[in-house]
């Protein structure tokens, strides 16, 4: 961990400028409260109750700022504990929170392995961290010990296939630059990367570009001293060994083998998802939600009081495309998707405004309950599978 700490003191990651908080909010998965509510609490959490959050390995603060800002804007109470080994990263995260006037955050310099000393927590965010531990399973277990009953975790770990060419370079640079200062390593590695032959797997990989964005991105991608990628099978194995259960990946459609080829009869779910990962070949990261393995946590159903939330403000243009039988061009986790919905779903698409309940959507669309219950699942299945619709009551009148 000494070398990892040294890296993030020299090159806090991701590269963020607190002055940019005045013009944009970095958003992403996991750890948007709408997503959290959907996958962890059936879209029915009581948001009047304070949400106790741990941001484990918070880096320069993307997840922290997103969570705190969304909760603040919604008028929902929260208590967030941020923990990270890097004082330089923490300073940037603190400055970003200060720039937005966010409160209710406790900053800790330390290890996520001590998370239980600060908990318990209703929600844990741990993104881009566990794969950098000498023993990732111990990290998963430490966070499992810190989660409260009924809580869960949003995670992100690096995946191997979309990062082809990265790991041989990491190994080569580790052998070449042992004992050198981070700045010297960075300079020499950049010169080598410039001269890589055209057929080198890294040069041929169109999925990675962090090395082009900033020095911090280059270092994190190619000079990291501890980087263990997770394929789908390893995600499940590690969860089983540390007391977690995968509730869902954030974009389930990516892992749905039947969307690529016919799934063989009798193939189990984990094998099917692992096979889909290999066939897609472009996944750089796995994003998802975990729950304690001793808790039965059902997913949202079709209850009429549920409120579907979506990031698109005006759904009417999309509804028009659906009514015309056109495909909806989407970009999901850096992949272009052609999504086609049945024309009969168009009135429902138009009625989604992130405030109406399912019962109200049915009324606005002019559908009786029987017809609605036949048509809505066709829309919801696709939107949820692609990570663009979630059920949540956050910020709505009680």
């Amino acid at each position: 961990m000494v070398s990892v700490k040294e890296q993030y003191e020299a090159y806090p990651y991701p590269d963020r400028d607190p002055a940019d908080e005045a013009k944009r909010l970095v958003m992403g998965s996991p750890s948007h409260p709408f997503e959290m509510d959907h996958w962890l609490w059936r879209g029915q959490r009581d948001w009047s109750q304070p949400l106790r959050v741990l941001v484990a390995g918070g880096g320069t603060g993307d997840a922290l700022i997103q969570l705190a800002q969304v909760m603040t804007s919604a008028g929902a109470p929260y208590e967030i504990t941020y923990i990270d080994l890097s004082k330089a990263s923490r300073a940037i995260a603190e400055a970003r929170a200060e720039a937005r006037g966010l409160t209710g955050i406790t900053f800790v310099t330390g290890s996520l392995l001590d998370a239980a000393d600060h908990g318990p927590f209703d929600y844990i965010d741990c993104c881009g961290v566990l794969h950098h531990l000498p023993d990732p399973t111990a990290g998963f277990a430490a966070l499992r010990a810190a989660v409260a009953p009924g809580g869960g975790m949003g995670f992100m770990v690096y995946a191997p296939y979309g990062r082809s060419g990265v790991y041989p370079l990491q190994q080569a640079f580790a052998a070449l630059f042992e004992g050198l200062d981070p700045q010297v390593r960075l300079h020499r590695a950049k010169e080598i990367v410039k001269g890589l032959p055209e057929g080198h797997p890294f040069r041929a990989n169109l999925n990675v570009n962090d090395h082009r964005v900033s020095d911090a991105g280059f270092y994190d991608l190619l000079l990291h001293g501890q980087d263990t990628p997770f394929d789908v099978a390893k995600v499940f194995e590690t969860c089983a060994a540390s007391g977690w259960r995968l509730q869902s990946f954030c974009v389930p459609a990516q892992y749905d083998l039947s969307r690529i080829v016919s799934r063989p009869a009798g193939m189990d779910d984990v094998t099917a998802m692992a096979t889909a990962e290999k066939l897609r070949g472009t996944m750089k990261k796995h994003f998802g939600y975990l729950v304690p393995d001793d808790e039965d946590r059902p997913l949202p159903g079709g209850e009429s009081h549920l409120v579907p939330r979506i990031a698109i403000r005006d759904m009417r243009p999309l509804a028009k495309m659906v009514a015309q039988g056109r495909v909806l061009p989407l970009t999901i986790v850096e992949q272009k998707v052609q999504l086609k919905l049945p024309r009969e779903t168009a009135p429902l698409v138009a009625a989604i405004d992130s405030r109406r309940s399912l019962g109200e959507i049915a009324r606005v669309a002019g559908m009786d309950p029987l017809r609605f219950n036949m048509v809505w699942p066709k829309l919801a299945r696709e939107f949820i599978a692609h990570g663009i619709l979630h059920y949540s009551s956050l910020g709505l009148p009680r």
Side-chain angles (χ1 to χ4, degrees):
M1 294 301 294
V2 174
S3 63
V4 173
K5 181 177 180 181
E6 177 187 37
Q7 170 186 334
Y8 291 123
E9 294 293 359
Y11 296 106
Y13 181 80
D15 189 18
R16 296 288 184 249
D17 182 351
D20 290 338
E21 298 306 315
K23 55 188 178 185
R24 61 96 177 91
L25 173 63
V26 177
M27 304 286 280
S29 295
S31 298
H32 189 292
F34 292 170
E35 269 192 7
M36 294 155 52
D37 200 359
H38 179 100
W39 294 118
L40 300 178
W41 303 302
R42 300 195 72 194
Q44 302 178 66
R45 186 182 190 275
D46 180 359
W47 292 97
S48 68
Q49 299 301 307
L51 182 72
R52 300 165 297 172
V53 176
L54 172 67
V55 180
T60 52
D62 281 2
L64 168 72
I65 300 303
Q66 172 177 273
L67 262 168
Q69 185 63 69
V70 172
M71 295 289 286
T72 298
S73 298
Y78 64 87
E79 302 167 2
I80 300 179
T81 298
Y82 161 107
I83 188 167
D84 199 282
L85 285 171
S86 167
K87 293 180 180 179
S89 297
R90 170 180 166 173
I92 295 171
E94 287 185 292
R96 294 176 68 185
E98 183 178 0
R100 288 181 172 272
L102 298 172
T103 59
I105 304 169
T106 300
F107 289 91
V108 177
T109 299
S111 170
L112 65 80
L113 297 175
D114 301 320
D117 296 341
H118 305 278
F121 300 97
D122 303 310
Y123 181 73
I124 298 173
D125 170 276
C126 192
C127 293
V129 182
L130 291 161
H131 48 241
H132 292 323
L133 297 177
D135 182 356
T137 302
F140 276 88
L143 297 177
R144 171 64 181 86
V147 72
M153 180 166 81
F155 75 99
M156 182 276 281
V157 291
Y158 288 150
Y161 306 121
R163 286 162 60 87
S164 60
V166 168
Y167 295 102
L169 286 182
Q170 284 186 2
Q171 294 162 9
F173 292 155
L176 288 170
F177 306 144
E178 183 178 359
L180 298 180
D181 290 337
Q183 293 80 4
V184 177
R185 297 174 191 165
L186 178 67
H187 175 74
R188 294 190 180 181
K190 282 186 172 182
E191 291 301 313
I192 292 174
V193 169
K194 285 181 184 177
L196 292 176
E198 290 187 7
H200 192 284
F202 181 74
R203 284 198 61 179
N205 188 345
L206 303 178
N207 304 300
V208 293
N209 62 4
D210 275 8
H211 59 299
R212 300 188 182 97
V213 175
S214 66
D215 286 349
F218 188 107
Y219 206 107
D220 195 76
L221 181 69
L222 296 175
L223 288 164
H224 209 292
Q226 182 71 53
D227 188 336
T228 304
F230 282 69
D231 60 14
V232 164
K234 187 175 178 66
V235 170
F236 279 91
E237 291 166 3
T238 305
C239 287
S242 57
W244 291 106
R245 176 172 58 80
L246 180 72
Q247 183 78 332
S248 179
F249 289 114
C250 291
V251 185
Q254 288 189 303
Y255 300 85
D256 186 348
L257 182 61
S258 67
R259 293 176 183 269
I260 306 172
V261 297
S262 296
R263 177 172 167 174
M267 179 179 282
D268 65 89
D269 290 343
V270 175
T271 301
M273 284 187 277
T275 303
E277 178 189 17
K278 293 181 176 71
L279 290 177
R280 292 200 183 278
T282 58
M283 294 184 191
K284 298 183 296 184
K285 304 171 183 177
H286 296 301
F287 304 85
Y289 288 91
L290 307 179
V291 296
D293 64 0
D294 58 355
E295 295 184 18
D296 181 20
R297 200 77 65 83
L299 295 174
E303 298 92 334
S304 63
H305 65 274
L306 290 176
V307 178
R309 313 299 289 270
I310 199 162
I312 303 168
R313 292 192 177 187
D314 186 356
M315 296 291 287
R316 289 173 296 180
L318 290 184
K320 184 176 180 180
M321 295 175 68
V322 172
Q324 294 171 344
R326 297 162 59 190
V327 298
L328 307 181
L330 304 172
T331 300
I332 307 294
V333 194
E334 302 176 353
Q335 293 188 4
K336 295 188 182 301
V337 175
Q338 299 290 314
L339 181 61
K340 188 169 185 179
L341 297 175
R343 293 189 181 192
E344 60 187 336
T345 65
L348 300 177
V349 174
I352 298 171
D353 68 353
S354 290
R355 300 191 70 80
R356 296 186 181 115
S357 68
L358 293 183
E360 292 167 333
I361 288 172
R363 177 180 55 79
V364 169
M367 291 189 184
D368 61 59
L370 180 61
R371 177 66 175 160
F372 177 82
N373 290 331
M374 292 176 60
V375 178
W376 175 259
K378 299 176 183 179
L379 179 162
R381 180 172 55 249
E382 291 303 308
F383 277 4
I384 292 171
H386 287 92
I388 57 179
L389 182 148
H390 304 94
Y391 295 113
S392 177
S393 61
L394 175 66
L396 298 175
R398 293 182 57 78

